[in-house]
Amino acid sequence: MSLILDNANPHVYEKSNKRVFKDDELNDEIRDVIDAREVFDLIRGIKDPEHPLTLEELNVVEEDKVVVDNELNLVSIHFTPTINHCSMATLIGLTIVVKLLRCLPSRFKIDVRITEGRHATEEAINKQLNDKERVSAALENPNLLQVINQCLIGSL
């Protein structure tokens, strides 16, 4: 039995350069603000559930679609599925949410959404991804959590 992929032949994009840190960013004594590049670096290496590629390589996540507001303690991410009927869009969004919940300080509210107009059911998926109770319930499913953890293996 063969697996049928939503997007069997995705376009692969070039990865961004690694971040170069300034001397003051390496000082653990100073509390620096979290910026969009830091959040992007957290999610760029997440593996796609269908392909042996990262979300960055598939252009699902991009640095310019990450917004961090340290004053309001808000991280907002728009991600773009490779096709507008991607059956993995909810899983991808949930994996991004889990990565950020695990890595960012708890003071941050995380808002993960599909880029407007880029998925047939974006409104329903966005509602699911930003409902704490639905996210918590999803994470109680051991099979789903196993798939999410597989996507996170190797990401920063």
Side-chain angles (χ1 to χ4, degrees), residues 127-140:
K127 188 174 180 178
Q128 284 180 298
L129 293 175
N130 289 289
D131 183 324
K132 286 182 181 181
E133 291 176 10
R134 290 170 101 172
V135 169
S136 292
L139 298 178
E140 289 178 13

Side-chain angles (χ1 to χ4, degrees), residues 42-49 53-55 91-103 139 144-156:
L42 291 172
I43 63 173
R44 69 193 277 190
I46 295 172
K47 300 290 185 216
D48 182 83
L53 299 166
T54 66
L55 297 185
L91 176 61
I92 291 167
L94 190 56
T95 304
I96 294 168
V97 170
V98 168
K99 179 68 175 187
L100 297 178
L101 286 172
R102 290 179 180 176
C103 295
L139 298 178
L144 182 57
L145 192 54
Q146 183 179 6
V147 173
I148 289 169
N149 285 332
Q150 281 298 122
C151 292
L152 293 176
I153 289 175
S155 66
L156 293 175

Side-chain angles (χ1 to χ4, degrees), residues 36-91:
R37 179 57 192 250
E38 188 171 354
V39 173
F40 175 70
D41 285 343
L42 291 172
I43 63 173
R44 69 193 277 190
I46 295 172
K47 300 290 185 216
D48 182 83
E50 288 187 314
H51 301 283
L53 299 166
T54 66
L55 297 185
E56 177 186 24
E57 290 171 315
L58 293 170
N59 214 35
V60 171
V61 295
E62 301 172 77
E63 184 179 354
D64 66 348
K65 292 184 178 157
V66 176
V67 177
V68 178
D69 187 325
N70 281 280
E71 301 237 343
L72 296 175
N73 297 316
L74 176 65
V75 171
S76 177
I77 295 177
H78 286 84
F79 70 99
T80 308
T82 58
I83 53 177
N84 75 347
H85 58 277
C86 176
S87 64
M88 298 290 157
T90 304
L91 176 61

